[in-house]
Amino acid sequence: MKKQILSSLILAGSLVVAVSAQAEEKNQSANTSTVKVTDVQKKDEQTNGDLDNEITNAKMRADSGSKSIWSVSTSWSYNGGNLEQPFGAERPNYAGEAGTQPATNLVGSVGINYRLDKNSALNFSTGLSLYTPFQNNWEETSNQNGNRQFSIATPSLGYSRSFRAMGIQQAFSSSASYATDAYDVDTLKLLGALSVGHTLLFEIPNSNWQPGVALDVTYNAYTEGADNVDTIQNRGTNVHGGGRTDWVLGFYPFVEYAFNDMFSFRTVFRPFIFSHFRSDDGTEWLRSLYTQSVGIGIAVTRDIYLYPNMQFAPEYFTADKTNVGMSATINVF
């Protein structure tokens, strides 16, 4: 199996290099979607100016939402099984993190997007989740058997701004969520969370390669005070989901290569994710195991972006310790 995996990686790398060389000769533009929703929209349904003149990256365009004043914004993520059983019921804990959901799941959000101007938007959304989506019958999916496989919970309000400054494509986002999921409320005693993120995408002249970095900060608020279980030493216990964190900091370098306007190679590195447990000293932080995702970005249209991918920990890479997944951003109207 290891030889098969190694051969597959070598073959994939060879294909990327081959297509990369061919595309470089043609000097294609870096991951720019040419499909525009504004071509079929009325003038009074659009904001002044065109964000696509500043943001040319397909994923960042889709993440910025529709250019309409009012629209529906959705995001989905399938967290599947490993390479051997991608649609199985079990989701391997490849990173060894406490509190990781052991079942495969489909999670997402559906919201209303209001564009303040061509660069900024407000979003009100709610979360959705479905566990073991390929194993359930209708009674399980509709929660008729008492085992809650499907839930609608955690409303949130967010603000985002996409722009170009100093020649760098950038996206700022912030959100506040209110916990309503039964596990979050009853077990974790979670009240809600505040999150702030910023993405920067750089361009290499005369190249289809685009390196970037994403920064995220999340603060979790609870309905009760911290106790002696909320420490690094007690992570992984059955109490409070394995210890509760208040702060999570993430630093994610990533690289994209555009084959053409529709397809791109994308890999995200996660070397620096730090979590602070509520009862620990302010200087004591847990660094998560280094993980990575590799996949293909697909710009179906300007407002629909898909990312089939595989996630793994390079230090412990085997076929049974991987996650196969798919994320999707879909904007309507």
Side-chain angles (χ1 to χ4, degrees):
M1 177 60 69
K2 291 184 178 180
K3 291 183 178 179
Q4 293 176 344
I5 295 172
L6 181 59
S7 299
S8 298
L9 289 176
I10 293 174
L11 176 60
S14 300
L15 289 174
V16 170
V17 172
V19 177
S20 170
Q22 181 180 8
E24 288 287 0
E25 292 176 359
K26 295 180 180 179
N27 195 26
Q28 296 171 325
S29 60
N31 205 10
T32 302
S33 173
T34 58
V35 180
K36 296 184 179 181
V37 176
T38 52
D39 292 341
V40 294
Q41 289 178 333
K42 298 178 182 179
K43 292 295 184 180
D44 58 359
E45 294 176 343
Q46 305 172 20
T47 55
N48 293 326
D50 190 351
L51 176 62
D52 291 353
N53 292 332
E54 300 180 43
I55 303 299
T56 59
N57 178 267
K59 184 180 188 304
M60 293 182 69
R61 279 184 176 179
D63 289 343
S64 71
S66 169
K67 292 188 287 185
S68 301
I69 295 178
W70 289 97
S71 63
V72 176
S73 177
T74 71
S75 62
W76 302 92
S77 179
Y78 170 66
N79 301 301
N82 56 34
L83 283 173
E84 298 173 338
Q85 294 182 311
F87 300 105
E90 182 180 351
R91 181 189 179 202
N93 186 0
Y94 67 95
E97 293 292 335
T100 298
Q101 174 55 244
T104 58
N105 57 81
L106 176 67
V107 297
S109 66
V110 176
I112 300 297
N113 206 62
Y114 175 71
R115 185 157 293 283
L116 300 171
D117 53 44
K118 71 179 178 67
N119 298 97
S120 306
L122 292 175
N123 179 271
F124 178 76
S125 64
T126 189
L128 301 93
S129 63
L130 175 63
Y131 295 110
T132 58
F134 297 104
Q135 284 72 41
N136 301 335
N137 55 39
W138 173 248
E139 286 74 18
E140 292 171 324
T141 299
S142 57
N143 302 324
Q144 295 179 23
N145 64 348
N147 184 15
R148 294 189 61 82
Q149 298 285 47
F150 175 74
S151 65
I152 301 176
T154 314
S156 66
L157 178 65
Y159 167 81
S160 63
R161 181 174 178 81
S162 301
F163 59 98
R164 182 186 289 265
M166 298 179 291
I168 303 171
Q169 297 180 63
Q170 303 186 47
F172 170 84
S173 64
S174 61
S175 66
S177 63
Y178 178 69
T180 60
D181 179 76
Y183 177 81
D184 292 339
V185 174
D186 298 335
T187 302
L188 298 182
K189 308 299 181 183
L190 184 67
L191 175 63
L194 299 174
S195 298
V196 176
H198 197 89
T199 299
L200 299 96
L201 184 67
F202 305 92
E203 298 177 1
I204 300 176
N206 302 316
S207 171
N208 288 359
W209 288 101
Q210 289 185 310
V213 63
L215 307 171
D216 285 311
V217 179
T218 298
Y219 175 74
N220 298 313
Y222 298 86
T223 57
E224 66 177 22
D227 56 36
N228 57 9
V229 177
D230 296 326
T231 64
I232 292 178
Q233 287 73 21
N234 290 320
R235 70 185 187 279
T237 63
N238 293 325
V239 182
H240 300 327
R244 297 172 294 184
T245 59
D246 44 13
W247 290 96
V248 179
L249 310 178
F251 176 80
Y252 313 98
F254 63 90
V255 178
E256 292 189 16
Y257 181 87
F259 299 126
N260 51 44
D261 288 348
M262 187 174 186
F263 296 100
S264 62
F265 167 80
R266 176 179 171 86
T267 182
V268 181
F269 308 93
R270 296 185 285 264
F272 303 113
I273 302 178
F274 297 93
S275 301
H276 179 262
F277 287 76
R278 303 179 70 198
S279 293
D280 282 336
D281 182 83
T283 60
E284 191 170 7
W285 292 71
L286 174 67
R287 180 181 175 181
S288 298
L289 180 69
Y290 165 51
T291 61
Q292 185 176 346
S293 73
V294 177
I296 298 295
I298 306 173
V300 181
T301 70
R302 184 228 180 257
D303 290 305
I304 301 178
Y305 181 87
L306 309 178
Y307 178 51
N309 64 87
M310 177 186 69
Q311 302 180 51
F312 57 94
E315 186 176 352
Y316 302 104
F317 182 77
T318 58
D320 62 332
K321 289 185 174 60
T322 57
N323 280 172
V324 174
M326 163 79 83
S327 62
T329 300
I330 303 174
N331 303 299
V332 184
F333 307 123

